[in-house]
């Protein structure tokens, strides 16, 4: 199918019409009667969105319209220029302000508007010398039906159609006139004439019938093609689009599955992309793919034209999105989803235990959901950390397990947690920071994409916790290293998490009774200071990718108790997110909270839920259950030999628990095995522990375990009774039960 549109070389695509700024309410609700948080100005106006998309895709593009001599105007002209649009025919009105639209979404997805268009610069332009110069060298005109109700646009369009057509140029029309809308006789005649003269028609839904003047989709298409329209692309929102041409060909193209954040502008990005691809010589099928990608990408971003993509961006979007399911979540979308009133959460699995990782990856494959796996500075670093793994080793382990579990790579995201001088804080700050820089580089080079910068802890001779200023400077140094490593790698740029919760990572040591949430003022200050320091260091781009702030939501667990989330305590803290729409909160130590508390956290602005000790606690619980079953079932296995091996191991090497567990010998003995802090997790990699676990596996593998033994030692696992047992499957099942609680709380179930 050769293009029926004038090629790009003939001259630019021109759009005529309103140029606006859009200012959007950040909350969902009714109208603007009360003072409320807003975000904007965003460059807008349907014709401007359309032409911006043309320019971004590398087509020649120009705009006719007007703005005021004010910043709202400059937001638009700067934006269009940046997108490669010729702005020579945009006039600057000295008297009237730039047009504007305030928009707020209601709960049902409809919108309330406050417009200032008709009495603004947006409606005040005409056939000037600049316009005439432009039209005389243009190759294509795109017209919005709605522009016909603007007298100034009407004159320009009339003349432009004649000039461009007589040069061999072409015309596209987006009817965008609602079906019920009756125009006055003169406008109706102009509209019909324009439709008949169109080479390409881009209606949406019922506008097709409105433009054809007949009922029924097939009838309308036939009628329009008879009138001389050469191509029709019917837009159907999230249901996709359909292409028709005069030769009776039809192509149906599905929409990409995305989370809709802001539907404004989808149709214009779709149309701009389709038209440009066709004018650049692409076949209809390919142009439709780019168009659908442009429309879909634009709805994932707040602001009417912020998601308009370049060719490279759309290519990346297409390859990342084609197989994408709705359970998949991008970290950079979390804030926007929250603002859109559809908060979604993500479980951050903080464990290096292969069985835990396997469970997480299998769960991810089964639910086609993103699997976020994080390693901590002490656990994994360029010197090996306590697991002996470098970031590269850890990434390789996850990759191997993901392959074995059939979990596709695009579902897996790796994160580095508390990355900073922490592991070397017994050394002078400079030395510790030099190590931290090497560690961050190693993480980013190994493909970790979520980087938590935490330089809050003091080094040798410094206070235990540093002030925001010093912390931010150190974080900025580390961000600079991360940015450079990512660029060198040529991979996706990292997203950053800032800040730290007050208690130490890995859970608190004592029985806790209450824990105070972070003060809103402290959270604001952390963000402000980091923003300033990053800007001074020329790291604005990195800061723009800071998506999360670690704060204390008031949840914690001690050795033998859990402090459940109390949402009434974080009302002022939540306000911070209203003022800082790029951020969400990250909650650490959410272990043992259960679905209800976790769900409340997600709703309240804490979509990133870190969990570690709970997963290894339940893993240990299952191992000890199997140890008991084997003791009762298998002759010669002995009395709880796994328990005995762990007791011997931990007693001989108390370093990982003795600063955490206090009390009598009897108390310490049970804490070693059952404390919620789960310090025992540090011991599973030791050879003694591994051989004890192997012995347990060997004792039970392939055995038929009678139901009563499960009832006695692990009642919930009775489904494994009476079939040849695979012990590791029992462990994975147990960890998955915890992961499922998280999954349900994340709103993806
Ligand atoms: P607008 O809503 O901006 O007036 P429109 O009604 O003219 O636009 P739509 O049909 O809403 O146009 O969107 C155009 C195209 O963008 C669709 O055909 C589809 O490919 C894509 N699109 C729109 N909304 C979504 C969505 N929620 N998910 C995926 N793709 C979408
Ligand atoms: Mg629409």
């Amino acid at each position: 199918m050769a293009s029926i549109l004038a090629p790009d070389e003939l001259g630019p695509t021109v759009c005529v019409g309103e140029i606006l700024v859009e200012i959007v309410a950040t909350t969902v609700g009714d109208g603007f009667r009360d003072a409320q948080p807003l975000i904007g100005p965003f460059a807008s106006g349907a014709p401007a969105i359309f032409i911006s998309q043309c320019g971004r895709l590398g087509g020649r593009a120009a705009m006719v319209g007007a703005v005021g001599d004010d910043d709202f105007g400059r937001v638009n002209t700067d934006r269009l220029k940046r997108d490669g649009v010729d702005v020579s025919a945009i006039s600057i009105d000295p008297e009237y302000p730039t047009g504007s639209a305030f928009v707020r979404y209601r709960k049902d997805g409809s919108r309330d508007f406050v417009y200032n268009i008709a009495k603004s610069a947006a409606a005040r332009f005409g056939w000037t010398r600049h316009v005439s110069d432009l039209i005389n060298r243009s190759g294509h005109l795109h017209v919005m039906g709605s522009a016909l109700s603007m007298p100034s646009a009407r004159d320009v369009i009339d003349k432009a159609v004649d000039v461009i057509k007589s040069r061999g140029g072409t015309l596209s029309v987006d009817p965008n006139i609602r079906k019920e809308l009756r125009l006055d006789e003169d406008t109706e005649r102009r509209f019909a004439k324009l439709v008949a003269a169109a080479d390409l028609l881009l209606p949406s839904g019922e506008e097709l019938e409105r433009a054809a003047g007949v009922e029924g989709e097939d009838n309308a298409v036939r009628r329009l093609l008879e009138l001389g329209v050469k191509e029709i692309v019917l837009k159907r929102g999230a249901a996709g689009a359909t292409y028709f041409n005069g030769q009776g060909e039809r192509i149906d193209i599905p929409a990409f599955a995305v989370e809709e954040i802001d539907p404004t502008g989808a149709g214009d990005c779709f149309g701009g992309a389709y038209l440009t691809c066709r004018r650049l010589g692409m076949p209809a099928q390919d142009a439709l793919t780019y168009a659908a990608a442009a429309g879909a990408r634009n709805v994932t971003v707040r602001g009417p034209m912020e998601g308009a993509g370049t060719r490279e961006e759309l290519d990346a979007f297409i390859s990342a999105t084609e197989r994408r399911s709705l359970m998949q979540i991008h970290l950079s979308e979390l804030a926007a989803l929250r603002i859109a009133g559809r908060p979604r959460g993500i479980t951050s699995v903080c464990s290096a235990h292969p069985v835990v990782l396997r469970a997480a990856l299998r769960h991810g494959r089964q639910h086609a959901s993103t699997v976020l796996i994080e390693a901590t500075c002490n656990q994994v670093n360029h010197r090996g950390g306590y697991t002996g793994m470098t970031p590269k080793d850890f990434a390789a382990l996850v990759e191997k397990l993901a392959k074995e579990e059939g979990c596709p790579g695009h579902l897996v995201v790796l994160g580095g947690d508390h990355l900073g001088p922490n592991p070397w804080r017994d050394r002078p700050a400079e030395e510790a920071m030099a190590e931290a820089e090497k560690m961050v580089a190693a993480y980013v080079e190994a493909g970790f994409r979520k980087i938590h910068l935490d330089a809050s802890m003091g080094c040798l001779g410094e206070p235990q916790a540093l002030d925001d200023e010093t912390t931010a400077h150190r974080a900025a140094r580390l961000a600079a290293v991360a940015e450079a490593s990512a660029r060198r790698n040529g991979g996706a740029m990292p997203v950053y998490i800032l800040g730290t919760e007050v208690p130490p990572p890995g859970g608190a040591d004592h029985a806790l009774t209450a824990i105070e949430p972070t003060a809103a003022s402290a959270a604001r200050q952390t963000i402000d200071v980091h923003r300033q320091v990053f800007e001074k260091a020329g790291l604005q781009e990195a800061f723009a990718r800071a998506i999360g702030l670690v704060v204390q939501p008031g949840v914690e667990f001690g050795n033998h108790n859990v402090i459940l989330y109390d949402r009434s305590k974080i009302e002022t803290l939540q306000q911070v997110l209203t003022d800082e729409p790029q951020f969400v909160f990250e909650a650490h130590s959410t272990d043992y909270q259960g679905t209800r508390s976790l769900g409340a956290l997600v709703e309240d602005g804490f979509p990133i839920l870190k969990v570690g000790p709970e997963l290894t606690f339940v893993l240990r619980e299952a191992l000890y259950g199997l140890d008991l079953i084997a003791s009762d079932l298998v002759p010669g296995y002995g009395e709880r030999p796994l328990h005995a091996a762990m007791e011997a191991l931990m007693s001989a090497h108390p370093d990982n628990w003795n600063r955490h567990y206090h009390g009598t010998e009897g108390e310490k003995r049970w804490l070693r095995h059952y404390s919620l802090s789960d310090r025992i997790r540090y011991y599973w990699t030791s050879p003694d522990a591994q051989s004890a676990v192997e012995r347990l596996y060997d004792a039970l593998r392939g055995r038929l375990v009678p139901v009563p033994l499960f009832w006695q030692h692990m009642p919930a696992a009775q489904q494994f009774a009476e079939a040849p047992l695979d012990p590791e499957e029992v462990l994975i099942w147990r960890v998955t039960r915890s992961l499922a609680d998280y999954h349900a709380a994340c709103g993806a179930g």
Side-chain angles (χ1 to χ4, degrees):
M1 282 171 258
S3 180
I4 45 84
L5 298 168
D8 197 65
E9 302 86 69
L10 185 66
T13 296
V14 180
C15 237
V16 180
E18 71 276 14
I19 301 173
L20 312 173
V21 288
E22 189 170 306
I23 293 166
V24 194
T26 61
T27 55
V28 174
D30 294 323
F32 292 98
R33 300 280 193 96
D34 303 306
Q36 57 182 278
L38 301 163
I39 180 164
F42 292 110
S44 189
I49 300 169
F50 186 99
I51 208 67
S52 147
Q53 179 61 78
C54 295
R56 299 209 82 189
L57 270 180
R60 293 163 73 191
M63 177 81 201
V64 176
V67 293
D69 186 7
D70 52 29
D71 280 347
F72 284 0
R74 288 181 277 276
V75 162
N76 276 291
T77 47
D78 288 354
R79 168 62 202 250
L80 290 176
K81 266 192 246 171
R82 229 182 20 241
D83 292 343
V85 177
D86 176 345
V87 297
S88 65
I90 296 179
S91 58
I92 295 171
D93 193 311
E95 286 171 48
Y96 283 70
T98 300
S100 61
F102 288 74
V103 188
R104 189 175 191 198
Y105 285 90
R106 299 195 201 99
K107 276 217 166 72
D108 64 3
S110 62
R111 294 173 269 188
D112 280 313
F113 286 102
V114 176
Y115 283 123
N116 170 30
I117 300 177
K119 297 205 169 70
S120 76
R124 292 167 52 87
F125 58 90
W127 189 263
T128 61
R129 187 175 56 76
H130 288 299
V131 173
S132 147
D133 285 352
L134 169 67
I135 298 298
N136 276 302
R137 56 184 171 81
S138 291
H140 183 93
L141 180 69
H142 178 70
V143 177
M144 308 275 165
S146 54
L148 295 178
S149 55
M150 287 167 82
S152 48
R154 209 185 281 180
D155 291 348
V156 175
I157 289 167
D158 273 356
K159 286 195 181 130
V161 172
D162 291 344
V163 175
I164 293 176
K165 283 247 163 178
S166 68
R167 302 186 66 232
T170 41
L171 174 69
S172 53
V173 175
D174 181 342
N176 74 343
I177 292 176
R178 283 197 321 272
K179 202 178 174 196
E180 323 76 62
L181 190 71
R182 292 282 147 242
L183 304 171
D184 63 66
E185 221 174 287
D186 176 49
T187 314
E188 194 69 51
R189 206 168 37 239
R190 285 166 189 274
F191 179 62
K193 205 176 128 198
L194 209 56
V195 167
D199 298 280
L200 167 66
L201 204 65
L202 291 158
S204 164
E206 292 183 336
E207 293 163 11
L208 173 78
E209 290 155 83
R210 176 71 177 80
V214 294
E215 296 285 324
E217 190 177 300
D218 294 345
N219 293 337
V221 168
R222 196 171 325 113
R223 171 96 187 98
L224 288 164
L225 295 171
E226 277 165 15
L227 281 174
V229 176
K230 303 203 176 61
E231 280 184 0
I232 302 168
V233 183
L234 175 63
K235 296 170 281 178
R236 306 179 196 267
T242 307
Y243 165 96
F244 306 91
N245 71 9
Q247 288 78 54
E249 286 163 305
R250 170 184 176 133
I251 304 173
D252 286 290
I253 166 138
F256 287 88
V258 293
E259 286 276 0
E260 187 179 288
I261 301 292
D262 180 354
T264 307
D268 302 314
C269 287
F270 179 99
Y274 180 78
L275 175 78
T276 302
C277 289
R278 292 294 269 155
R279 292 201 64 204
L280 290 170
M282 227 182 253
Q285 176 78 51
D286 297 347
L288 288 166
T289 301
Y290 279 106
R297 187 172 189 271
N298 199 55
V299 306
T300 64
V301 182
R302 183 156 297 269
M305 59 168 106
E306 302 315 303
T310 60
R311 175 81 182 255
E312 292 70 37
E313 285 165 339
L314 295 183
D315 281 332
F317 179 89
I318 290 165
S319 53
T321 316
E322 244 159 2
R323 288 171 305 168
R324 190 173 166 201
S325 77
L326 283 175
M327 301 303 169
Q328 206 184 338
I329 187 126
H330 289 174
L331 293 169
S332 49
E333 293 169 340
L334 292 171
L337 284 168
R338 198 191 77 81
I339 291 170
R342 287 183 290 111
R344 289 273 305 275
I346 187 163
T347 312
S348 162
V349 175
C350 304
S351 174
H353 198 294
V355 173
V356 171
L357 296 177
R358 195 181 281 290
L361 291 161
R362 186 180 299 180
H363 185 267
R365 170 178 55 78
Q366 284 166 346
H367 298 266
S369 63
T370 302
V371 187
L372 172 60
I373 295 174
E374 306 216 37
T376 337
C377 57
N378 287 309
Q379 190 184 39
V380 168
N381 60 49
H382 60 296
R383 299 195 175 276
Y386 70 73
T387 58
M389 281 189 275
T390 64
K392 211 170 143 201
D393 299 333
F394 187 78
L397 170 67
V398 172
E399 197 186 327
K400 172 181 151 281
L401 293 170
K403 272 219 181 79
E404 289 171 10
E405 290 299 329
C407 180
H410 72 271
L411 291 179
V412 182
V413 178
L414 295 178
D417 204 15
H418 293 290
L419 302 188
N422 191 12
W424 304 279
R425 66 179 188 275
D426 56 352
R427 300 209 217 149
E430 250 331 291
E431 278 182 35
M433 277 299 289
E435 290 293 334
E437 288 183 342
K438 285 189 202 142
M439 171 172 67
V440 167
Y443 266 91
V444 173
E445 268 155 33
F448 287 65
R449 283 292 160 263
K450 173 176 179 284
I451 301 293
H452 174 207
L453 300 170
D454 179 5
S456 60
M457 289 198 191
C459 299
L460 186 66
E462 294 180 330
Q464 207 191 342
L466 301 173
D467 57 64
D468 274 318
E469 192 79 27
T470 314
T471 304
H473 274 106
R474 290 182 187 174
R477 256 178 82 173
L478 299 176
V481 170
E483 293 283 293
S485 308
R487 290 225 167 78
R488 223 176 13 251
N489 260 14
M493 296 303 283
V495 296
Y496 296 101
I497 307 292
L498 306 175
T500 196
E501 80 279 33
V502 184
D509 301 347
H510 312 288
L512 289 156
T513 48
I515 186 145
E516 280 311 304
T518 304
S521 57
R524 281 180 206 280
Q525 179 172 325
T526 302
I527 295 176
D528 285 345
V529 173
H530 278 78
R531 180 178 282 126
Q532 283 161 23
V533 169
F534 274 56
E535 261 169 31
K536 268 202 207 112
L539 290 165
Q540 292 90 333
E541 271 185 47
F543 191 83
R545 272 181 270 106
I547 59 152
L549 181 72
V550 179
V551 293
Q552 174 53 259
V555 304
E556 194 45 273
F557 53 93
N559 286 327
H560 44 85
N561 72 327
V562 179
I563 296 171
L564 289 179
Y565 179 54
D566 176 357
R567 70 194 324 178
S568 72
K569 287 189 171 171
I570 66 128
E571 273 159 30
T572 55
L573 187 56
Q574 254 183 310
Q575 274 301 312
V576 176
L577 295 182
T578 308
D579 303 332
E580 296 284 356
Q582 93 180 57
F583 283 94
V584 292
F585 293 136
E586 173 169 298
H588 288 206
S589 307
T590 67
D591 309 69
Y592 313 108
Q593 290 287 320
T595 299
R596 185 199 284 254
S597 285
L598 295 170
L601 280 164
V602 172
E603 272 176 28
D604 292 352
F606 293 85
I608 306 174
L609 302 172
K610 310 207 74 156
V611 56
E614 175 181 335
L615 302 177
T616 39
F617 179 95
V618 299
L619 179 85
R620 199 260 330 125
E621 177 198 306
L623 278 166
Y624 278 16
L626 293 176
D627 193 31
L628 282 160
I629 289 174
S631 304
D632 279 338
L633 185 69
V634 183
Y637 178 68
E639 262 315 295
R640 300 185 73 192
L642 176 62
H643 180 278
M646 297 312 284
E647 176 63 17
L649 183 61
M650 292 181 81
S651 301
H653 306 278
D655 280 8
N656 285 314
W657 60 265
N658 60 5
R659 280 168 292 121
H660 301 262
Y661 299 158
H662 307 283
T664 63
E665 278 314 307
E667 279 163 337
K668 283 194 272 193
R669 186 180 150 87
W670 75 255
L671 283 168
R672 280 196 285 276
H673 300 276
Y674 309 112
S675 164
L676 300 185
S677 308
D678 196 52
R679 308 295 302 177
I680 196 173
R681 71 182 182 278
Y682 294 86
Y683 296 86
W684 295 117
T685 47
S686 90
D688 287 356
Q690 285 188 351
S691 62
V693 169
E694 272 312 315
R695 222 187 127 232
L696 170 62
Y697 279 11
D698 289 344
L700 288 178
R701 193 177 291 117
R703 268 184 198 270
L704 305 181
V705 179
V707 173
L709 284 182
F710 272 110
W711 283 16
Q712 177 63 34
H713 298 301
M714 225 194 308
Q718 60 171 311
Q719 84 230 40
F720 291 100
E722 302 296 359
L725 193 74
D726 180 344
E728 194 175 274
E729 288 301 309
V730 180
L731 306 181
I732 290 176
W733 160 82
R734 183 60 190 93
V735 174
T736 305
R737 288 214 321 176
S738 277
L739 291 173
D741 286 348
Y742 271 84
H743 194 65
C746 287

